[in-house]
Amino acid sequence: MRLGLAQYSSAEIENETRFLIDFSNEMKKSFIEKRYGNDLIEIVIGIICVSPMFEQFFKPKRPKYTNEKKHIKSEGFEYEVEKCLEYSIKLDFETFKNFSEIEAKKHLSLEILKSLEIIETMRTKIKDFDLATFKKDLENYFKEKRYI
């Protein structure tokens, strides 16, 4: 399972969100060898945390599932996706900017776990995926890190 985060944040909280790259990379390493079925092998979660003046430009996107292999060119990057679910969650800017790094990690971990409900709504497209085991493994990962 490839699991990663895409970050969309305001410059005002640049210092408060620096941890997201390492947070995402550590999560990715922990799950790269795991498989939960044949219909979903990659999940990309967009993390949106922008100041109120930028909110109109950064709305959470509807979940997007790509089944067949697809080559994408976007914002100077080229990559391939296959059996990939992309969606985003929005964090409250005012709350998040006041968190310490550990508080931010704990909050983000809980929000990611809550967001997994989206996979259940995609059951017509994502049939062969063990959501219960994936969610349990993710919870255990966050517990090991002491985020929850």
Side-chain angles (χ1 to χ4, degrees), residues 91 96 99 102-112:
L91 304 176
F96 201 78
F99 281 151
I102 191 63
E103 289 172 323
K105 287 177 178 179
K106 289 178 177 185
H107 181 73
L108 180 58
S109 298
L110 292 172
E111 290 299 315
I112 289 171

Side-chain angles (χ1 to χ4, degrees), residues 23-36:
F23 187 95
S24 180
N25 288 339
E26 289 172 12
M27 203 168 50
K28 186 185 299 184
K29 284 180 199 171
S30 182
F31 282 83
I32 196 72
E33 299 293 325
K34 299 182 183 212
R35 296 225 9 136
Y36 298 95

Side-chain angles (χ1 to χ4, degrees), residues 120-135:
E120 194 62 47
T121 68
M122 306 289 289
R123 279 294 180 199
T124 57
K125 295 179 181 181
I126 304 170
K127 295 177 180 137
D128 184 13
F129 183 72
D130 187 350
L131 177 58
T133 301
F134 173 65
K135 187 173 183 176

